[in-house]
Amino acid sequence: MTQSRLHVPHPPARPGETPDFSYLKIPPAGSVGRPDTLAPALQIEALGTEMVRVLDEQGHAVGPWNPHLEVEELQIALRHMLLTRRFDERMQRMQRQGRISFYMKSTGEEAVAVAQAMALRPGDMLFPSYRTQGLFVVRGRSLVDLMCQCLSNTHDMCRGRQMPIMYHWAEGNIFSISGNLATQFPQAVGWAMAAAIKGEDHLAASWIGEGASAEADFHHALTFAAVYQAPVILNVVNNQWAISTFQGFAGGEQRTFAQRGPGYGIPGVRVDGNDFLAVYAVTRWAAERARSGGGPTLIEHVTYRAAAHSTSDDPSRYRPKEDWQSWPLGDPVVRLKAHLIALGEWSEERHVALEQQLEAHVTACWKEAVAYGTLNEGPTLDPLSMFEDVFHEMPAHLRRQREELRRLLHGPDAAAARGEGAEG
Amino acid sequence: MTQSRLHVPHPPARPGETPDFSYLKIPPAGSVGRPDTLAPALQIEALGTEMVRVLDEQGHAVGPWNPHLEVEELQIALRHMLLTRRFDERMQRMQRQGRISFYMKSTGEEAVAVAQAMALRPGDMLFPSYRTQGLFVVRGRSLVDLMCQCLSNTHDMCRGRQMPIMYHWAEGNIFSISGNLATQFPQAVGWAMAAAIKGEDHLAASWIGEGASAEADFHHALTFAAVYQAPVILNVVNNQWAISTFQGFAGGEQRTFAQRGPGYGIPGVRVDGNDFLAVYAVTRWAAERARSGGGPTLIEHVTYRAAAHSTSDDPSRYRPKEDWQSWPLGDPVVRLKAHLIALGEWSEERHVALEQQLEAHVTACWKEAVAYGTLNEGPTLDPLSMFEDVFHEMPAHLRRQREELRRLLHGPDAAAARGEGAEG
Amino acid sequence: MAQMNMVQAINSALDVMLGRDPRVVVFGEDVGYFGGVFRCTDGLQRKYGEHRVLDTPIAEGGIIAAAIGMGVNGLRPVAEIQFADYIYPAFDQIVSELARLRYRTAGDLCAPVTIRTPCGGGIRGGQTHSQSPEGVFTHVCGLKVVMPSNPHDAKGLLISSIESEDPVLFFEPKRIYNGPFDGDPHKPAVPWSSHPKGEVPDGHYAIPLGKADIVRPGAAATVLTYGTMVHVAEAAARLCGVDAEIIDLRTLVPLDVDMLCTSVRKTGRCVIVHEATRFSGFGAELSATVQEECFWHLEAPIARVTGWDTPYPHAFEWDYFPGPARIAAALRAVMESAA
Amino acid sequence: MAQMNMVQAINSALDVMLGRDPRVVVFGEDVGYFGGVFRCTDGLQRKYGEHRVLDTPIAEGGIIAAAIGMGVNGLRPVAEIQFADYIYPAFDQIVSELARLRYRTAGDLCAPVTIRTPCGGGIRGGQTHSQSPEGVFTHVCGLKVVMPSNPHDAKGLLISSIESEDPVLFFEPKRIYNGPFDGDPHKPAVPWSSHPKGEVPDGHYAIPLGKADIVRPGAAATVLTYGTMVHVAEAAARLCGVDAEIIDLRTLVPLDVDMLCTSVRKTGRCVIVHEATRFSGFGAELSATVQEECFWHLEAPIARVTGWDTPYPHAFEWDYFPGPARIAAALRAVMESAA
Ligand SMILES: Cc1ncc(C[n+]2csc(CCOP(=O)(O)OP(=O)(O)O)c2C)c(N)n1
Ligand SMILES: Cc1ncc(C[n+]2csc(CCOP(=O)(O)OP(=O)(O)O)c2C)c(N)n1
Ligand SMILES: [Mg+2]
Ligand SMILES: [Mg+2]
């Protein structure tokens, strides 16, 4: 008998070592069957261990999950993904230049948010994570608005209250992003329960990282979704890393994250998260299931966090540099582009032209956004507004505090006090 | 397409209706295979859907899970189960007579705690629920001590601080029972992690009800156990009810509770919880696995809460009266007794004699216990002791408060104040 | 008008709101078919159906998270936490999410959730069925916190809570569900039918949040209290003969500072009473506020009478409980106090 | 003696304790291989191995639950919660279990867990990376609560916390990890090497829990504060020229009431400063206690200077932060105050 020893998960490679993704079992595109959308969860457990893939190595869409999208839609998808990436890069640069305080890129994972937002209906409610900016791009929120949020400027939808990237869009049916991991997962289930109570046809979808799946709210979401058979799509974006910890620390060594679903009686589907067509198709399948009374679906998107966790992070401390180059599922943008080219509906030239156009668009948006103010340059929001929206109506103690701040900022001694403050 | 509607789980029968347990699939005793204790979790998933059973209808022990226990052990087991039941009945009666404030019986579920405590080693740490009093009985804590706890009297191990049944026994390696559901589950995992860190051979075991499995701590326990492969046995006692809600409200409609395990990569074993031999054998299997470095096991015990939830509960409001009579897995005491009789090692006469002996023992224990005081009759604990053990050393503010209470109770105005208080 | 105890008054408030507003949904552990372990939701599922009055899994965090999602989707969720002692698993969803959703979205999203939960001791509940955690929630910006002391207020305040656009923590002192309690456990129980506040209108009425109530006018000292302790303070005043003005806060957030301070400025003396533990309890905020607002009127130190700073012990419930004798002693002390 | 910033001092305390006591284990999100997002555990896993310095799943509730189990099994767990804003998912395990285990078992079982967590604002963290939730924990019986204001104290207090038989919440004000901060974000950053409390002994030393520290003796008024605000209060005193006695609490529970009240009895005036929101914040308890103990010595109302009662807003960090100007104004007010 070997004695019990504490097992400590390890990533396959640390800085200086050669990237190694051999732990990933990747079936050929087209090899996984597509069951009926109302198939009982028990009969389709294999979907949690396989990996739904549509785009093959040659850029062809193959197999039963091929959603057969119109070329135009594919081109729009490519555009959305590219725009998301350009946007991310610009914002990261602006953070480096001190124009915004913080940023988080979704590089390498763009297919998840873009394909899912395209596969769902406008009336469906999205409960995003901080790495699904593509949802806003697809639903058409202007980049200027997103930038203004990151700038906490006079046009900031959050009125200066949230860190960059914590967007929301009530009219666009996108919930608010929270700094607290995973909280939105069971909230989405509650939203879906309400839709079912009201007898409405809308569903909810939510996203968390594989690391966040260890939080209590993951369990709450799956339990409530299963018990009430809520019309909800619960997505775990497995980008292999949670800041510095490898997915093994969330339980990924033992099982896929999709396999958690069946334990609750919820179908779990594992999908190649860098394959736009596969993500789109799986989402459509889950949406149809939910809308037909089939209840929830858990989807695991296998992808890779190509960039740092955030602008505060330095991944070279904990994983091999350039390891994304070795990631076997490639780059979702490159793969969709190759597909369009294989279809004869795209070219390197058109791609370059589109990139230039998007870059120009981002530049124009940024110009407009900064005109509404930046962190350090006016115009700025009125600090007195910080007392609003704590409650629907401002209670007396907040009115009193607002008065105190008003006197501090604008009262007779304000200039002196501030001047002195700088000396102190 | 049928529209999504909120699904609301229902128990098979409500008051006035005929009990119906047809939802339960019960394989014949002996039909489930017993895999190697170190079999990979993936290969033994069927253990979560089947039901390990050893005792057949004729009272014979059959199949690969038969633990082949000595007759003496079986007789001891019967004694422990009967004693637990007698103890429960007495305490319930004493609550009805106003001698203790509250009680919770484990009637019908005695095999779970008794078999598991017998299958584990004294050095293994047990993290109990409020319905596993059998653990204390097996480990030999005197009933007098348990009764004194329920009486909050001068011999109360909790010094009057906890409601009845919230026992603990540090020397006996039994953790403290908490009023908060499920909290002990991940604590047990932490204990097991520590054992593994120290390279010790002990394991931890914990118990929760199927209702409590919806709590966050269930997820924490399974995640941590899986990630670190901790030597722990996690038991879900599925007695079909959580106060008034049927197991469907914890997700039991969709899947068994044992099936939650495989989603985390933890073997899940479903066992006939009223079959002493099956529970014993499964526990031994899991313990051997844990001690050999095979990590955690999740065990679901299928049983029935024969009694009310607690002395505060009236089950006739939400389920058919006498439904336990129809419970297809029977009574664990009756089944073990039948087995011993089938073996020729027991008789109705010996049984009656044992019951009388145990009843007398319980009576003697109760007599001794009440001599140490009851809720309403002296001797009583010193109320000033309530300020102790908040911290290791009593800080100044608690010393001051203790002084204040001392003056109130014993100071010059004490009698007057108390007298007046009664008038006020 | 009908005679109602507090359980019936709460049931009536839920009934009225379920009937008036199709957005109202009521849910929690055992609240559906069974009607709640304290019977507050008795009969409601039968009347409004199991899509409006729901049992839930035993997961307080999930209950509140689901309530938030439902609130965002246009419902008016009323969630029950079976005991206030079991609200902690929902703490993150309440504090990080429910309380701040409106703020962080600059008013674009909100969830008007009411959380009902029985609190307080005196029922032999020991440390996990007796807590009064209201103080902790009063420190969380964005939550309203309510605790009624009688059936009439309970119904009116609960209706206001459900109608509030803000999330509300609604604490129900379970010791007075069935009758007022003056702090003496040895006296025979008194039913609400013998108390004027046991008269409760059948239909809809609202008691505004943020308004305290003078339950006993007086000139000599002010007692600030809420919940069960209102009745105990009344008994204490009778006991020691101090002409105390007893104020039932009813709402802790927002606090009716004006009424409180008007009284203290008048009497010059103040005793604060709550059942919760003392250190950093809500009494600390009351004391600090009164001291700031009324310093120049104070003729004696503000006194706090509270639960001791220990968990609620099962055996010593009545030594722990801040009963009439302790309150009376504090009243005498503030009357006699001199440098 | 070495020059250390607060991160290094904390790292050194952990290093010392891991080296001295084989029961000490350190764990949390990203604390192992990576060394922590604030680098407080840098190099420790390499030195002590991955069974003593562990990464964990992202589940604060699980982390604290595991710590309790480990503590019961004879280890001395030091758990990190990555930001104090993320401690709420662990609230139930801390409040219902960790804090009360010794009590409910009459001393038979306990878990001497230390929870380290960075708190406070001023780093553009917005509402979910800036909170100061210490007040809430001071209301929980059975927890010690510590917040150091400098590297020297941080190390000595952390060692005492790990050696404590009681569970300790150890809050680290992240704004001063790298240098003292006087409340003016526009001035160039100052390193700890320029501050006397940046001198930190290399080896083992303990600063007892429950002892406050007079960081600036003075005669005119007493300032009670802790963490980052100690330095801001010093700046404020310089700014307004009031001869303030500034007391760094260091430990909030148990509170050094004697030192606090001795000072207030001497000065007759008291200003309480913390970064946390005001309503029911720890300042309320300080104010209530001082008022009770020193009423007859007070010559002016006790003042509180705190964060406003709103979430911490990203864009208005410095309008929110209770900076030197506000503290100075309060100091002037208590000096000038008259009926
Ligand atoms: C409750 C909580 N705990 C900790 C954190 C700190 N934190 C922010 S992101 C992160 C890693 C999340 O990883 P994952 O869920 O895999 O998402 P990814 O960043 O990979 O998209 C952590 C630990 C937090 N924001 N909230
Ligand atoms: C956190 C928490 N929530 C709610 C309760 C109230 N409560 C006590 S027992 C119980 C039902 C538990 O059912 P189950 O887990 O199936 O155990 P059983 O009583 O059937 O043994 C509930 C809801 C509690 N004690 N703790
Ligand atoms: Mg990740
Ligand atoms: Mg049960």
Side-chain angles (χ1 to χ4, degrees):
Chain A
M1 292 223 308
T2 58
Q3 208 178 36
S4 77
R5 281 289 278 166
L6 195 78
H7 171 74
V8 179
H10 287 148
R14 286 295 194 186
E17 297 173 356
T18 312
D20 173 8
F21 294 111
S22 58
Y23 66 87
L24 210 67
K25 301 289 160 265
I26 304 173
S31 64
V32 177
R34 182 182 184 282
D36 185 80
T37 47
L38 285 179
L42 248 163
Q43 286 169 21
I44 53 177
E45 293 204 6
L47 288 177
T49 48
E50 310 266 2
M51 194 191 289
V52 175
R53 306 182 70 226
V54 171
L55 287 170
D56 72 9
E57 310 302 308
Q58 288 71 47
H60 298 305
V62 297
W65 286 92
N66 182 355
H68 298 292
L69 293 177
E70 301 290 322
V71 164
E72 238 177 32
E73 279 180 279
L74 295 175
Q75 289 169 344
I76 290 172
L78 186 64
R79 189 193 154 88
H80 285 323
M81 287 203 278
L82 268 177
L83 182 56
T84 305
R85 189 168 291 185
R86 287 279 148 276
F87 170 62
D88 275 353
E89 277 163 14
R90 178 66 56 105
M91 298 311 283
Q92 161 111 349
R93 225 159 56 234
M94 294 306 100
Q95 193 277 341
R96 291 286 177 246
Q97 293 179 15
R99 312 295 294 279
I100 63 174
S101 61
F102 176 84
Y103 196 71
M104 296 179 102
K105 292 167 79 177
S106 62
T107 313
E109 308 176 22
E110 294 92 343
V112 175
V114 169
Q116 295 203 274
M118 287 180 69
L120 295 173
R121 297 190 191 155
D124 297 334
M125 185 77 183
L126 314 181
F127 287 74
S129 80
Y130 50 71
R131 229 182 279 286
T132 52
Q133 38 270 59
L135 302 176
F136 291 87
V137 171
V138 172
R139 289 229 165 150
R141 183 80 192 229
S142 100
L143 290 195
V144 175
D145 291 348
L146 303 184
M147 290 167 168
C148 288
Q149 195 283 326
C150 292
L151 285 158
S152 284
N153 69 14
T154 54
H155 275 220
D156 172 9
M157 62 180 85
C158 300
R159 300 183 76 190
R161 300 196 186 132
Q162 290 246 65
M163 277 176 72
I165 73 161
M166 303 286 177
Y167 321 113
H168 67 274
W169 191 16
E171 299 76 37
N173 288 321
I174 311 187
F175 189 71
S176 155
I177 296 166
S178 173
N180 298 59
L181 290 171
T183 48
Q184 72 276 19
F185 230 44
Q187 292 166 356
V189 176
W191 195 98
M193 287 170 66
I197 286 171
K198 297 192 282 183
E200 288 171 358
D201 207 22
H202 308 308
L203 58 85
S206 188
W207 290 262
I208 58 171
E210 89 294 341
S213 75
E215 290 284 6
D217 281 324
F218 176 82
H219 182 53
H220 296 148
L222 271 80
T223 304
F224 278 65
V227 167
Y228 301 107
Q229 291 291 297
V232 64
I233 302 177
L234 297 167
N235 298 287
V236 173
V237 183
N238 179 1
N239 63 6
Q240 316 300 313
W241 291 94
I243 308 186
S244 75
T245 52
F246 190 62
Q247 51 126 8
F249 268 100
E253 274 185 343
Q254 316 293 340
R255 279 311 146 89
T256 72
F257 292 90
Q259 282 179 290
R260 292 283 173 80
Y264 295 83
I266 297 176
V269 186
R270 194 168 207 232
V271 61
D272 176 345
N274 289 8
D275 178 338
F276 176 88
L277 294 177
V279 174
Y280 186 97
V282 164
T283 308
R284 265 297 167 87
W285 182 90
E288 209 178 300
R289 184 177 177 90
R291 269 189 256 278
S292 325
T297 301
L298 177 70
I299 303 176
E300 174 186 358
H301 304 263
V302 182
T303 181
Y304 203 74
R305 199 195 75 208
H309 172 69
S310 74
T311 50
S312 313
D313 179 44
D314 172 12
S316 72
R317 281 179 174 276
Y318 53 79
R319 67 183 195 188
K321 261 188 193 129
E322 317 291 340
D323 52 351
W324 188 40
Q325 308 316 322
S326 318
W327 175 245
L329 299 177
D331 175 336
V333 171
V334 171
R335 286 173 70 190
L336 185 58
K337 175 184 161 196
H339 177 52
L340 274 164
I341 290 176
L343 288 176
E345 300 286 354
W346 201 246
S347 66
E348 290 295 346
E349 297 68 43
R350 287 176 73 178
H351 198 80
V352 170
L354 176 61
E355 295 223 63
Q356 284 167 348
Q357 182 204 327
L358 295 176
E359 188 64 25
H361 174 59
V362 171
T363 302
C365 289
W366 178 254
K367 259 203 188 127
E368 182 181 344
V370 294
Y372 301 125
T374 72
L375 254 188
N376 312 308
E377 293 153 47
T380 52
L381 286 163
D382 181 359
L384 296 179
S385 68
M386 88 167 94
F387 297 96
E388 290 166 31
D389 301 321
V390 180
F391 293 96
H392 182 62
E393 282 172 34
M394 198 181 300
H397 69 288
L398 285 176
R399 286 201 305 273
R400 212 171 310 153
Q401 292 180 13
R402 185 175 58 175
E403 270 319 295
E404 197 180 329
L405 181 59
R406 191 199 305 280
R407 275 196 310 276
L408 235 91
L409 297 176
H410 308 300
D413 307 330
R418 300 214 112 189
E420 285 169 17
E423 275 166 41
Chain B
M1 295 223 306
T2 57
Q3 208 176 35
S4 76
R5 280 289 277 169
L6 194 78
H7 171 75
V8 179
H10 287 149
R14 286 295 194 185
E17 297 173 356
T18 312
D20 173 8
F21 294 110
S22 58
Y23 66 87
L24 209 66
K25 302 288 159 265
I26 304 172
S31 63
V32 176
R34 182 182 184 281
D36 186 81
T37 48
L38 285 178
L42 247 163
Q43 287 169 21
I44 53 178
E45 293 204 6
L47 287 177
T49 47
E50 310 268 2
M51 193 190 292
V52 175
R53 307 182 70 225
V54 171
L55 286 170
D56 71 10
E57 310 302 309
Q58 287 71 46
H60 298 303
V62 297
W65 287 92
N66 182 356
H68 298 292
L69 292 177
E70 302 291 322
V71 164
E72 237 177 33
E73 278 180 282
L74 295 176
Q75 290 170 342
I76 291 172
L78 186 64
R79 189 193 155 85
H80 286 322
M81 287 202 281
L82 269 178
L83 182 55
T84 305
R85 189 168 291 183
R86 286 280 148 275
F87 171 61
D88 276 353
E89 277 163 16
R90 178 66 55 106
M91 298 312 282
Q92 160 111 351
R93 223 159 55 234
M94 293 306 101
Q95 193 279 339
R96 290 285 177 249
Q97 293 179 15
R99 312 296 294 278
I100 61 173
S101 61
F102 176 84
Y103 196 71
M104 298 179 99
K105 292 167 80 178
S106 62
T107 311
E109 308 176 23
E110 294 93 343
V112 175
V114 169
Q116 296 205 275
M118 288 181 69
L120 296 173
R121 297 190 191 156
D124 297 334
M125 185 78 182
L126 313 181
F127 287 76
S129 80
Y130 49 72
R131 229 182 278 285
T132 52
Q133 37 271 58
L135 303 175
F136 291 87
V137 171
V138 172
R139 289 228 166 152
R141 183 79 192 229
S142 98
L143 289 195
V144 176
D145 291 349
L146 303 184
M147 290 168 169
C148 288
Q149 195 283 325
C150 292
L151 285 159
S152 284
N153 70 13
T154 54
H155 275 222
D156 173 9
M157 61 179 86
C158 300
R159 300 183 77 189
R161 300 199 184 130
Q162 289 246 65
M163 278 176 72
I165 74 161
M166 304 285 179
Y167 321 113
H168 66 275
W169 191 18
E171 298 77 38
N173 287 320
I174 310 187
F175 189 71
S176 154
I177 295 166
S178 173
N180 298 60
L181 290 171
T183 48
Q184 72 275 21
F185 229 44
Q187 292 167 357
V189 176
W191 195 97
M193 287 171 66
I197 286 171
K198 298 193 281 183
E200 289 170 357
D201 207 21
H202 308 309
L203 57 84
S206 188
W207 291 262
I208 58 172
E210 89 294 341
S213 75
E215 291 283 4
D217 281 323
F218 176 83
H219 181 54
H220 296 146
L222 271 81
T223 304
F224 279 64
V227 166
Y228 301 106
Q229 291 292 294
V232 65
I233 301 177
L234 297 167
N235 298 287
V236 173
V237 182
N238 180 0
N239 63 6
Q240 316 300 314
W241 292 94
I243 309 184
S244 75
T245 52
F246 190 63
Q247 51 126 10
F249 269 100
E253 274 186 341
Q254 316 292 337
R255 281 309 147 89
T256 73
F257 292 90
Q259 282 179 294
R260 291 283 172 80
Y264 296 82
I266 297 176
V269 185
R270 193 168 206 233
V271 62
D272 176 344
N274 289 8
D275 177 340
F276 175 88
L277 295 177
V279 174
Y280 186 98
V282 163
T283 307
R284 266 297 167 87
W285 182 91
E288 208 177 302
R289 183 177 178 93
R291 269 189 255 278
S292 324
T297 301
L298 176 71
I299 303 175
E300 174 185 359
H301 304 263
V302 182
T303 181
Y304 202 75
R305 200 194 75 210
H309 172 70
S310 73
T311 50
S312 314
D313 180 43
D314 172 11
S316 72
R317 281 180 174 277
Y318 52 78
R319 67 183 193 188
K321 260 187 195 135
E322 318 291 336
D323 52 352
W324 187 41
Q325 308 315 324
S326 319
W327 175 244
L329 299 176
D331 176 336
V333 172
V334 171
R335 287 173 69 191
L336 185 57
K337 174 184 161 197
H339 177 53
L340 273 163
I341 290 176
L343 288 177
E345 300 286 354
W346 201 245
S347 66
E348 290 295 348
E349 297 68 42
R350 290 176 72 178
H351 198 80
V352 170
L354 177 61
E355 294 221 66
Q356 283 167 349
Q357 180 202 333
L358 295 176
E359 188 64 26
H361 174 58
V362 170
T363 301
C365 290
W366 178 254
K367 258 201 188 127
E368 181 181 345
V370 294
Y372 302 125
T374 71
L375 254 188
N376 312 309
E377 293 151 48
T380 52
L381 287 163
D382 180 0
L384 296 179
S385 69
M386 88 167 92
F387 297 96
E388 290 165 33
D389 300 320
V390 181
F391 293 95
H392 182 62
E393 285 173 32
M394 198 182 299
H397 68 287
L398 285 176
R399 286 202 305 274
R400 213 171 310 154
Q401 293 180 12
R402 186 176 56 174
E403 271 318 296
E404 197 180 329
L405 181 59
R406 191 197 305 279
R407 275 197 310 275
L408 235 89
L409 296 176
H410 308 299
D413 308 331
R418 299 213 112 190
E420 286 170 20
E423 276 165 39
Chain C
M1 281 291 205
Q3 298 284 356
M4 294 189 199
N5 65 23
M6 215 144 140
V7 169
Q8 293 161 330
I10 287 159
N11 188 287
S12 173
L14 296 172
D15 190 0
V16 165
M17 291 309 295
L18 281 160
R20 277 168 75 97
D21 186 344
R23 298 169 306 167
V24 172
V25 285
V26 170
F27 50 92
E29 297 158 15
D30 301 295
V31 309
Y33 184 88
F34 185 52
V37 297
F38 290 103
R39 325 283 332 131
C40 289
T41 55
D42 193 23
L44 297 177
Q45 183 178 79
R46 227 172 17 255
K47 186 160 174 188
Y48 296 100
E50 57 186 10
H51 284 182
R52 301 210 40 219
V53 182
L54 295 171
D55 285 312
T56 63
I58 302 175
E60 293 75 12
I63 291 170
I64 302 305
I68 294 171
M70 291 182 189
V72 167
N73 199 355
L75 300 183
R76 297 227 151 221
V78 184
E80 175 177 305
I81 300 294
Q82 201 164 81
F83 284 84
D85 314 66
Y86 305 139
I87 202 166
Y88 306 127
F91 204 70
D92 189 44
Q93 284 286 347
I94 295 173
V95 172
S96 305
E97 299 291 314
L98 182 60
R100 297 204 298 253
L101 182 56
R102 181 195 301 286
Y103 193 77
R104 77 180 198 223
T105 62
D108 290 340
L109 290 162
C110 69
V113 173
T114 300
I115 303 176
R116 292 180 40 244
T117 187
C119 68
I123 59 148
R124 287 276 187 212
Q127 52 137 10
T128 57
H129 299 83
S130 305
Q131 289 166 65
S132 297
E134 69 278 1
V136 161
F137 294 97
T138 64
H139 188 39
V140 178
C141 313
L143 297 179
K144 291 180 174 167
V145 180
V146 175
M147 194 187 302
S149 71
N150 60 68
H152 179 267
D153 286 3
K155 179 170 173 183
L157 290 167
L158 181 53
I159 287 174
S160 286
S161 299
I162 299 171
E163 290 177 342
S164 166
E165 299 300 322
D166 296 308
V168 179
L169 265 283
F170 189 88
F171 288 97
E172 302 171 2
K174 56 178 130 33
R175 187 59 175 85
I176 54 171
Y177 266 151
N178 292 312
F181 174 65
D182 72 1
D184 183 351
H186 307 297
K187 284 210 304 210
V190 181
W192 277 112
S193 54
S194 67
H195 193 284
K197 291 292 177 82
E199 291 271 305
V200 178
D202 281 310
H204 176 280
Y205 66 96
I207 294 179
L209 306 187
K211 295 277 165 237
D213 186 31
I214 299 179
V215 296
R216 182 196 187 285
T222 301
V223 177
L224 305 180
T225 188
Y226 51 92
T228 302
M229 303 314 296
V230 169
H231 308 280
V232 184
E234 289 182 290
R238 283 195 298 275
L239 177 66
C240 66
V242 171
D243 181 23
E245 179 145 298
I246 300 176
I247 299 186
D248 177 358
L249 300 183
R250 302 200 292 198
T251 305
L252 281 58
V253 180
L255 184 64
D256 192 350
V257 175
D258 285 347
M259 179 183 284
L260 273 47
C261 291
T262 302
S263 174
V264 176
R265 282 193 207 101
K266 178 179 75 176
T267 62
R269 299 167 204 272
C270 180
V271 173
I272 293 162
V273 182
H274 60 57
E275 194 178 345
T277 55
R278 173 187 177 99
F279 200 84
S280 288
F282 189 61
E285 177 58 38
L286 291 172
S287 173
T289 293
V290 166
Q291 186 272 152
E292 284 152 15
E293 301 286 324
C294 312
F295 182 79
W296 302 106
H297 295 81
L298 285 175
E299 314 212 19
I302 303 164
R304 286 185 280 172
V305 184
T306 69
W308 309 115
D309 282 317
T310 77
Y312 219 113
H314 178 253
F316 314 118
E317 208 161 29
W318 303 114
D319 301 298
Y320 180 91
F321 190 86
R326 284 177 59 204
I327 301 172
L331 274 170
R332 279 190 218 102
V334 298
M335 293 314 298
E336 288 158 19
S337 182
Chain D
M1 282 290 205
Q3 298 285 357
M4 294 188 198
N5 65 25
M6 215 144 140
V7 169
Q8 292 162 329
I10 287 160
N11 188 285
S12 173
L14 297 172
D15 190 0
V16 165
M17 290 309 295
L18 283 160
R20 279 168 74 97
D21 186 344
R23 299 170 305 169
V24 172
V25 285
V26 171
F27 50 91
E29 297 159 14
D30 300 294
V31 308
Y33 184 89
F34 185 52
V37 297
F38 290 103
R39 325 284 329 130
C40 289
T41 56
D42 195 23
L44 297 176
Q45 184 178 79
R46 228 169 20 254
K47 188 162 174 187
Y48 296 100
E50 56 186 10
H51 284 183
R52 301 210 39 220
V53 182
L54 294 171
D55 286 311
T56 63
I58 303 176
E60 292 76 13
I63 291 170
I64 301 306
I68 293 171
M70 291 182 188
V72 168
N73 199 355
L75 300 183
R76 296 226 151 222
V78 185
E80 175 178 304
I81 301 293
Q82 200 163 79
F83 285 83
D85 313 68
Y86 304 140
I87 202 166
Y88 306 127
F91 203 71
D92 189 45
Q93 284 285 346
I94 295 173
V95 171
S96 306
E97 300 290 314
L98 182 60
R100 296 204 298 253
L101 182 55
R102 181 194 302 285
Y103 193 76
R104 77 182 198 221
T105 62
D108 291 340
L109 291 163
C110 68
V113 173
T114 300
I115 303 175
R116 292 181 40 245
T117 188
C119 69
I123 59 148
R124 287 276 187 215
Q127 51 135 9
T128 57
H129 299 82
S130 305
Q131 289 166 64
S132 296
E134 69 278 2
V136 162
F137 294 97
T138 64
H139 188 39
V140 178
C141 313
L143 298 177
K144 290 180 175 167
V145 180
V146 176
M147 195 186 301
S149 71
N150 60 69
H152 179 269
D153 287 2
K155 180 170 173 183
L157 290 167
L158 181 52
I159 286 174
S160 287
S161 299
I162 298 171
E163 291 176 341
S164 166
E165 299 300 321
D166 296 308
V168 180
L169 266 281
F170 190 88
F171 288 97
E172 303 172 0
K174 56 181 131 34
R175 186 60 175 83
I176 55 171
Y177 266 149
N178 292 311
F181 173 65
D182 71 1
D184 183 352
H186 306 298
K187 285 208 303 207
V190 182
W192 277 112
S193 55
S194 67
H195 192 284
K197 292 293 180 82
E199 293 270 306
V200 178
D202 282 311
H204 176 279
Y205 66 95
I207 295 178
L209 306 186
K211 294 279 165 233
D213 186 30
I214 298 179
V215 296
R216 183 195 188 286
T222 301
V223 177
L224 304 180
T225 187
Y226 51 92
T228 302
M229 302 315 295
V230 169
H231 308 280
V232 184
E234 289 183 289
R238 284 197 297 276
L239 176 67
C240 66
V242 171
D243 182 22
E245 179 144 296
I246 300 177
I247 299 186
D248 178 357
L249 301 183
R250 302 202 291 200
T251 304
L252 281 59
V253 181
L255 184 64
D256 191 351
V257 175
D258 285 345
M259 179 183 284
L260 273 47
C261 291
T262 304
S263 174
V264 176
R265 282 192 207 102
K266 178 179 77 177
T267 62
R269 299 167 203 274
C270 181
V271 173
I272 292 162
V273 182
H274 60 57
E275 193 178 343
T277 54
R278 174 186 177 98
F279 200 84
S280 287
F282 189 61
E285 177 57 39
L286 290 173
S287 173
T289 294
V290 167
Q291 187 272 151
E292 284 152 15
E293 300 287 324
C294 311
F295 181 80
W296 302 106
H297 295 81
L298 285 175
E299 314 211 19
I302 302 164
R304 286 185 282 172
V305 184
T306 69
W308 310 116
D309 281 318
T310 76
Y312 220 113
H314 178 254
F316 314 118
E317 209 162 28
W318 302 114
D319 300 297
Y320 180 91
F321 190 86
R326 283 177 59 203
I327 302 172
L331 276 170
R332 280 192 217 100
V334 297
M335 294 314 298
E336 289 160 19
S337 182

